């Protein structure tokens, strides 16, 4: 085991056992060096690595503290690495997204309100009817954000948000037969809304599975190039 790994594992142990709690300042580098039996450089490198993934809060001119360790802080750091994956590796992640989002849809069927479903139906309609491709993509994104939030599980929502952030870099609307893709996708939204309206968790899971797998199939078939462009976030004129 490297000295850096040893220092990082010991720091994580202090946090996991509750010896260091969210908001606590870390002991001095000298104290950690003596306690872990490693160099100061190894301690600093371990602290830097834990800061990158959101475990530690390190700001210039302020003591390093244990972060809030909330769901969003921990899982959102995945975006740093998932964004590096080539398409083949990302498709393996996409399979995980399919499992989680279909589960979220199933959970939403028993937890959402009529107002939630009305809003989801509105977003489905806007996605279908929007004349602007950019806005249509944005409404599609909002549809899935709303659907996931209706499951009422913050951890699942954060993970799926990270997965979807990577999906946004593959523009299937520029692929051959893009109109066919959009129509099938829009129909899938309607099926999800209908399943939720019926309060049928099994039907909701089936509708979401088919809808997400539809996108996965097109990714595998047409293999679009990844872009660095982001979905236009301005919804003021939608």
């Amino acid at each position: 085991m490297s000295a850096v790994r040893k220092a990082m594992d010991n720091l994580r142990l202090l946090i996991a056992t509750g010896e260091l709690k969210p908001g606590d300042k870390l002991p001095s580098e000298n104290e950690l060096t003596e306690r872990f039996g490693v160099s100061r450089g190894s301690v600093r490198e371990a602290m830097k690595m834990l800061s990158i993934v959101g475990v530690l809060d390190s700001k210039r001119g302020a003591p390093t503290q244990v972060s809030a360790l909330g769901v969003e802080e921990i899982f959102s750091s995945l975006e740093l690495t998932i964004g590096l994956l080539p398409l083949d590796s990302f498709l393996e992640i996409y399979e995980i997204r399919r499992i989680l989002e279909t589960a979220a849809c199933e959970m939403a069927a028993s937890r959402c309100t009529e107002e939630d479903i009305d809003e989801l139906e509105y977003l489905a309609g806007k996605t279908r009817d929007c004349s602007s491709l950019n806005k249509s993509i944005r409404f599609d994104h909002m549809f899935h954000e709303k659907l996931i939030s209706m499951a009422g599980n913050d951890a699942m929502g954060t993970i799926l948000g990270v997965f979807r952030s990577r999906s946004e870099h593959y523009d299937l609307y520029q692929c051959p037969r893009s109109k066919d893709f959009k129509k099938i996708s829009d129909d899938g939204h309607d099926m999800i809304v209908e399943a939720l309206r019926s309060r049928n968790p099994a039907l909701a899971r089936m509708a979401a599975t088919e809808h997400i797998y539809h996108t996965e199939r097109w990714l595998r078939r047409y293999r679009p190039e990844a872009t660095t462009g982001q979905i236009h976030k301005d919804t003021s004129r939608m």
Side-chain angles (χ1 to χ4, degrees):
M1 180 186 296
S2 70
V4 174
R5 180 59 184 268
K6 181 180 179 181
M8 186 167 63
D9 285 350
N10 277 284
L11 279 169
R12 291 190 301 183
L13 184 62
L14 293 179
I15 296 169
T17 59
E19 186 171 340
L20 287 175
K21 298 179 175 60
D24 285 352
K25 298 178 184 178
L26 260 63
S28 68
E29 289 182 2
N30 286 337
E31 183 178 342
L32 293 175
T33 295
E34 293 181 9
R35 183 165 182 174
F36 300 159
V38 298
S39 68
R40 291 182 64 181
S42 296
V43 168
R44 288 174 182 171
E45 188 64 24
M47 290 168 60
K48 183 187 299 183
M49 293 171 67
L50 291 176
S51 295
I52 290 173
V53 297
V55 175
L56 299 179
D57 184 8
S58 180
K59 297 178 181 176
R60 185 181 297 274
T64 300
Q65 299 178 328
V66 179
S67 72
L69 297 180
V71 169
E72 184 173 355
E73 288 81 5
I74 297 301
F75 287 125
S76 61
S77 62
L78 288 171
E79 191 169 348
L80 298 173
T81 49
I82 286 180
L84 302 174
L85 294 177
L87 181 57
D88 284 337
S89 297
F90 173 68
L91 284 169
E92 295 184 15
I93 298 293
Y94 207 95
E95 291 177 351
I96 301 174
R97 177 199 158 186
R98 172 158 45 92
I99 294 169
L100 290 178
E101 191 159 344
T102 54
C105 190
E106 181 179 30
M107 294 161 62
S110 58
R111 297 180 178 180
C112 62
T113 65
E114 285 297 319
E115 289 76 14
D116 287 331
I117 299 173
D118 288 343
E119 182 178 346
L120 198 68
E121 186 173 30
Y122 167 80
L123 292 171
K126 294 295 288 186
T127 304
R128 180 186 295 277
D129 299 336
C130 222
S131 58
S132 165
L133 178 60
N134 196 42
K135 288 183 178 180
S136 181
I137 294 172
R138 177 57 185 152
F139 276 118
D140 176 81
H141 180 77
M142 293 169 66
F143 177 93
H144 285 274
E145 281 186 332
K146 178 61 180 178
L147 175 62
I148 293 165
S149 72
M150 288 159 62
N153 185 301
D154 289 342
M156 184 180 291
T158 299
I159 295 173
L160 285 168
V162 172
F163 292 168
R164 285 192 55 77
S165 71
R166 177 58 172 164
S167 301
E168 292 165 9
H169 292 280
Y170 295 102
D171 186 2
L172 286 170
Y173 288 104
Q174 301 301 323
C175 290
R177 298 178 58 203
S178 59
K179 290 183 179 179
D180 293 338
F181 169 78
K182 185 177 186 306
K183 183 181 186 307
I184 296 171
S185 179
D186 291 340
D187 289 345
H189 290 164
D190 293 340
M191 290 176 62
I192 289 172
V193 171
E194 183 179 345
L196 293 175
R197 189 79 72 183
S198 69
R199 304 292 183 174
N200 187 325
L203 187 60
R205 173 183 279 273
M206 290 175 58
T209 299
E210 175 58 29
H211 175 63
I212 298 167
Y213 187 51
H214 160 65
T215 302
E216 185 182 332
R217 287 197 304 265
W218 281 65
L219 282 171
R220 292 184 184 278
R221 180 174 181 179
Y222 293 109
R223 306 183 67 81
E225 294 291 329
T227 67
T228 57
Q230 296 294 313
I231 289 178
H232 182 52
K233 303 294 183 180
D234 181 13
T235 60
S236 61
R237 298 175 62 184
M238 289 183 173

